[in-house]
Amino acid sequence: MQILMIHSDGLEFESKKPATKEREEEKSGKYGECIVVFTSVEKGDLKNKKEIIAQTVEEIKQYSSNVGCEDVVIYPYAHLSNELETPNGAMKVLDLMCDILDKTELNIERVPFGWYKSFSLSCKGHELSELSRRIRAGDGRVSTENVALSAEEKTKSEFCIMNPDGEIDELKESGAKTPLNVLIKYETKKDRTANEEPPHIKLMQKLELVDREPGSDAGNMRWYPKGTMIKRLLEKKVEKLVKKAGAMEVETPEIYDYAHPCLEEYLERFPARQYRVMSGEKPYFMRFAACFGQFLIARDAQISYKHLPIKYYELAHSSYRREKRGELAGLRRLRGFTMPDMHTFVKDLDQGLEEMSSQFSLSMEWMESLDVPYEAAMRVQKDFFEENKEFYKQIAKKLGRPMLLELFDERYAYFITKFEFNVLDTQGKAAALSTVQIDVENAERFEINYVDKDGKKKLPYILHASLSGSIDRNLYALLEEAAAKSRRGEKPSLPFWLCPTQIRLLPLSSEYVDKCSELAKELTGIGFRADIDDREEGLGKKIREGEKEWVPLILVIGEKEVEAEKYPIRVRNGEDFSADMKELIEIMTKMQENEPQRSLPLPERMSLRSKFRG
RNA sequence: GCCACCGUAGCUUAGCCUGGUAUAGCGGCUGAUUCGUAAUCAGCAGAUCGGGGGUUCAAAUCCCCCCGGUGGCUCCA
């Protein structure tokens, strides 16, 4: 049961047309001063009607005595919940509840169930005039939410383009189909339809990287060895970047108390998005980001202005968001995902902007490693933009190409400015990867402060940064880019440093397997991933399968090679060549580009590998 | 939440409209083959046709319900 109580000067309503099959009698009405109880009967309430109704009646009585008004109007209102009871069930619960309310000193009026209604309501607007309650069976407690601020103020945004020279252009209506234009279209148009599944889903399964896990909830994946390896490499790379930025790594819990004062308020901004877990009788929620854990650390820390900026980093593996079913899409949007999350505490906005600028560079470095085209979007409150125009010009220059600029007049979230890097997939959908935001709200909410020069406690600003964005989504971006390549007629591939097999050695017959082992050992010794296709198959088939696995380099060994110590190398994306070991290592080192390394995720000999998926 | 489409061996899939317990390839296993840059040959095993109910002498096939997947939409008492 979800209720919203408004202490009002008057309510007037009129039934317009039927909304549900089962409904009460049509009715219109007008009341003077009263408490309007907007009520959503939720799934399961009928089953637990006794407890639910008793609690709800208590809440209404309490509120009535608090505001000193005994006239109550029960208004069936579906929009407070997205898990509704059936109409019949809901009416039953409402009937029972009104029966009980009738026996109290309150005067009960009812608005009919099952109609589209027009209404006008005037809210008194004093401190107690709005109150929302959620009543759940077995909770043993009632959670409170003050809805006053969630009035959904629609902020107005202006979109424009900022060029590298700092000049600002208006959005052009049509224009060429450049990636930036696709992003603009995505941001400004409502239509986001696609009618086929994104290609990365089939790819992640075929390549045996990731798969859905039927034994879990939707949006929670299983990662096979090759996928896990890619994930770990990406994680290692982010870690390298945040360490470069000077962050300290921490680890924080995955479940949090609903009733914690700081968190309660925070949660209001993310309604009904969490997984709930019970610890005995007490409900907790799974974290949907690593913010809380790090904020709670900062809250207890003794911080001097001399320490700032301070950075905490955590690889939030995992974070959980109970996204609506229809919103889930492969690796693009999940319910359980991995989020590298860094928070920077700074003493003032100048220091904040300085940090934002250097984190912008690190994010660019990330995207470069990924080798996936991206577009930048900068969002900022209008006044703030005017005051800091120079800063934004510098950022635009750093990017070196036009970026989308959104100016909003009212702050709709906790940040005053932020940027993201978006990738555009083959369906023209945008997905944000790297992002940095300057938070001007949560230091106060979480009581995080530092001691300044003058000995006084002050509130820092907080930068939320995910230099990479969700790791899962990065793999989505990589696979979508590969799909885009094949659509352009190129061979799909991954960046060399992320290929599960970087070079495959093919013995022409079983007598050359030993030679392959020898070479593999040499390559593995300096950190490359080399494997050997020692299966009893024809050369043609082995080549074919190597190509199907997107292996970037394939080396065949037969009699000639053993004698000459020079090897023919088949290159997936480029010209085949021939080289001895020294030259080969040089070339591979160049391809590796100093990115993180990790050993082979599967047995070196293919004859020992099991299939994960047929 | 709602709508649409889908659900046949580990994977891909024929059959479904016009009812008679199922087709093939890959993969797996066994044997033969020791091979020069995208599929060597033969044999064997493998499916209560997503689950449940109904109609029928008979259901993968027709009807109903449920579950799962994919995509889309959405705030309606």
Side-chain angles (χ1 to χ4, degrees), chain A residues 48 51-52 55 136-141 276 278 280-283:
Chain A
N48 300 299
E51 186 190 347
I52 297 280
Q55 283 237 44
R136 288 166 153 267
D139 249 21
R141 59 180 282 279
R276 292 165 67 88
M278 299 300 286
E281 293 294 293
K282 212 172 162 193

Side-chain angles (χ1 to χ4, degrees), chain A residues 199-200 202-204 206-207 209 226 230 475-486 490-496 498-504 542-554 571-573:
Chain A
H200 78 275
K202 285 268 149 54
L203 291 176
M204 78 191 192
K206 277 217 179 95
L207 294 170
L209 304 178
K226 289 197 276 183
I230 292 175
L475 182 53
Y476 146 85
L478 288 164
L479 293 175
E480 287 290 327
E481 171 58 13
K485 272 188 202 158
S486 38
E490 298 166 34
K491 287 181 180 177
S493 62
L494 292 171
F496 185 72
L498 292 171
C499 291
T501 297
Q502 294 179 307
I503 183 163
R504 174 155 297 163
K542 292 183 184 181
I543 297 274
R544 178 177 153 82
E545 295 201 353
E547 295 289 355
K548 276 171 72 181
E549 277 185 66
W550 303 1
V551 174
L553 301 173
I554 298 176
V571 183
R572 184 170 172 76
N573 275 313

Side-chain angles (χ1 to χ4, degrees), chain A residues 81 128 164 194 206 209 245 277 289 353 409 517 530 585 592:
Chain A
S81 171
L128 292 173
K206 277 217 179 95
L209 304 178
V277 283
L353 290 177
D409 47 12
S517 298
I585 287 169
Q592 177 71 24

Side-chain angles (χ1 to χ4, degrees), chain A residues 2-42:
Chain A
Q2 178 81 45
I3 57 174
L4 170 63
M5 295 184 278
I6 308 276
H7 187 200
S8 115
D9 279 318
L11 168 74
E12 193 168 354
F13 69 91
E14 189 183 341
S15 307
K16 290 286 190 186
K17 63 176 195 186
T20 56
K21 263 190 215 149
E22 303 86 2
R23 57 181 176 270
E24 294 170 337
E25 248 178 63
E26 183 176 7
K27 185 179 163 188
S28 299
K30 188 175 178 179
Y31 304 109
E33 181 187 348
C34 62
I35 297 169
V36 179
V37 183
F38 291 101
T39 311
S40 282
V41 183
E42 297 181 287

